[in-house]
Amino acid sequence: NPAGNVAALYGLSTANPPFGGGLTAEPNDFVVAIELSGGGSFSSWKVAIDGLGNAWVTDSNSVSEFSSTGAALSPSSGYASGAFPPSPVLIAVDTVGNVWVMDGDVGGGTQSGGLTELSNSGTVLRNLNASVYPHDQLGCIQGDPDGMTIDGSGNVWVVSGGYSCVVKVSNAGSLLSGASGYTGGGVTSPSSVAIDGSENAWVAGQEIGRAHV
């Protein structure tokens, strides 16, 4: 509660904070807004933090990276600009520091998007799209993705509300969830997925308001 701990928070401040704008006197309240720009960032969607504390952000057609102090690490056009038709949305960092990016709104048309893996320096390592797997074998990967996470083994999990399925892809790019992803079991319009300490995947559905393992 910043409003109830103004003095304590002011006592933690330094003369030269990493984002600038140091305080010269104790304020009446704290309202902090931080804007990160550059590195290709224009219309940001999702963010993921890697093991070094750097922030990876999906943008309109590229991925941006910022240091823990807010400095842009990616080039002015972002990483892999144009490699994500039509737009990168979901993002997660795996156990070795590689970044996985899921295209959004690719369920119709040519379904040319997919799941892209970047190295920790922003180089495209692989792109799983219609040229790799037919659409009916990827379900969530190429249609209406809503949530993504990575388990302790480095496997990527993606859920699709529009297709009511869950897809699991190994960190080597192999499809592990069968021809049409994991379906059934009461999974309806899933919106998010998380992995527990026993490597179970928990999926939340929008329509029925329940979680499934």
Side-chain angles (χ1 to χ4, degrees):
N1 183 0
N5 297 277
V6 173
L9 290 172
Y10 179 70
L12 297 174
S13 64
T14 62
N16 298 296
F19 294 99
L23 298 172
T24 58
E26 182 179 317
N28 295 323
D29 201 349
F30 275 100
V31 177
V32 180
I34 299 173
E35 178 181 348
L36 304 182
S37 60
S41 179
F42 175 74
S43 177
S44 303
W45 288 89
K46 300 290 185 179
V47 61
I49 307 299
D50 65 19
L52 300 176
N54 297 330
W56 292 77
V57 183
T58 55
D59 206 82
S60 56
N61 66 352
S62 65
V63 173
S64 301
E65 181 187 11
F66 296 92
S67 73
S68 59
T69 59
L73 302 179
S74 48
S76 59
S77 59
Y79 292 135
S81 179
F84 311 103
S87 180
V89 177
L90 306 178
I91 188 167
V93 181
D94 68 18
T95 52
V96 297
N98 293 334
V99 179
W100 292 79
V101 181
M102 183 70 226
D103 290 0
D105 192 25
V106 294
T110 60
Q111 297 156 332
S112 59
L115 181 65
T116 301
E117 181 186 11
L118 305 177
S119 70
N120 57 12
S121 61
T123 301
V124 175
L125 299 178
R126 61 172 56 86
N127 186 289
L128 306 178
N129 54 30
S131 65
V132 180
Y133 294 121
H135 175 257
D136 61 358
Q137 288 186 329
L138 282 177
C140 306
I141 295 297
Q142 293 176 289
D144 193 22
D146 289 283
M148 180 168 70
T149 193
I150 298 177
D151 64 27
S153 299
N155 302 313
V156 182
W157 295 74
V158 183
V159 297
S160 168
Y163 283 79
S164 289
C165 69
V166 180
V167 160
K168 181 181 180 182
V169 177
S170 75
N171 58 7
S174 299
L175 187 64
L176 302 177
S177 51
S180 299
Y182 299 131
T183 60
V187 175
T188 304
S189 298
S191 57
S192 61
V193 57
I195 308 297
D196 66 20
S198 299
E199 296 289 281
N200 296 315
W202 289 77
V203 179
Q206 295 176 339
E207 293 185 2
I208 56 177
R210 293 182 292 180
H212 300 269
V213 183

